[in-house]
Amino acid sequence: MAIVSLKNVKKTYPLGKTEVKAVRGVSFDIARGDFISIAGPSGSGKSTILNMIGCIDVPTEGTVELNGHLTSDLNDREITRLRHKFVGFIFQSFNLIPVLTVYENIEFPLLLGKNVPASPERKDWVNYLMDEVGLKDWTKHRPNELSGGQRQRVAIARALVTKPELVLADEPTANLDSETSEAIIGLMKKVNQDMGTTFIFSTHDPTIVDLAEHIIRLRDGLIDSEYRRDTEGGR
């Protein structure tokens, strides 16, 4: 069973007296453990598709299936629970909490909801993730004391702290230099291979596209091409 399945998804936004057709009928499946790039120029519908997969937005038409659940069948509480336990988000703007330290930013998602892990278990896991992303010496620093690459590493660790099966990354290297971008993507590729986490990227970055196993290119809200590196062709 695919971890994500979109069927004839469309998304239209009102703009004054007109409508913007951001996504105009898109269908694809994403396998568990995939490392997929959704690529295309600005305005092609990349971020809109990512937001619908992550239940931040809803389609105007068509269906989004996430881990076997039709998102349209879920109520607000069920969507919140699914999003918290199943999906991790990495944003290009990092979205870190400025008053919290690196440790506290990463730990924060674990403190939400009813089943908060015990303190020793929580501490061990957060420390492990900080070590994995190269931040063990920055535990007590706040976001404004970090470089862009370090803040993105915090965002990655925070996205992974709930052990999600799926991570959605919206232009995760947009604010980073090329060397830092390569290190960050290499880190996410390692997590994908070591933990089996599925990654879906919305991106312009050719580094991500080059490392992706599954590439979907969008143009004007439609799939322009789709290609898997483990098969001989694409579509």
Side-chain angles (χ1 to χ4, degrees), residues 9 26 32 38 56 67 76 84 105 112 116 162 170 191 198:
V9 168
V26 166
R32 292 180 185 277
I38 300 177
I56 295 173
N67 197 33
D76 288 346
H84 176 62
N105 264 284
L112 304 175
V116 178
T162 59
D170 189 13
V191 170
T198 305

Side-chain angles (χ1 to χ4, degrees), residues 158-180:
R158 183 186 59 187
L160 296 172
V161 77
T162 59
K163 301 179 182 178
E165 293 186 47
L166 173 66
V167 172
L168 304 177
D170 189 13
E171 299 282 7
T173 59
N175 298 313
L176 307 177
D177 61 67
S178 58
E179 184 177 349
T180 304

Side-chain angles (χ1 to χ4, degrees), residues 177-193:
D177 61 67
S178 58
E179 184 177 349
T180 304
S181 294
E182 288 182 15
I184 292 296
I185 299 307
L187 172 63
M188 288 191 271
K189 186 69 174 178
K190 181 178 184 295
V191 170
N192 167 255
Q193 293 171 338

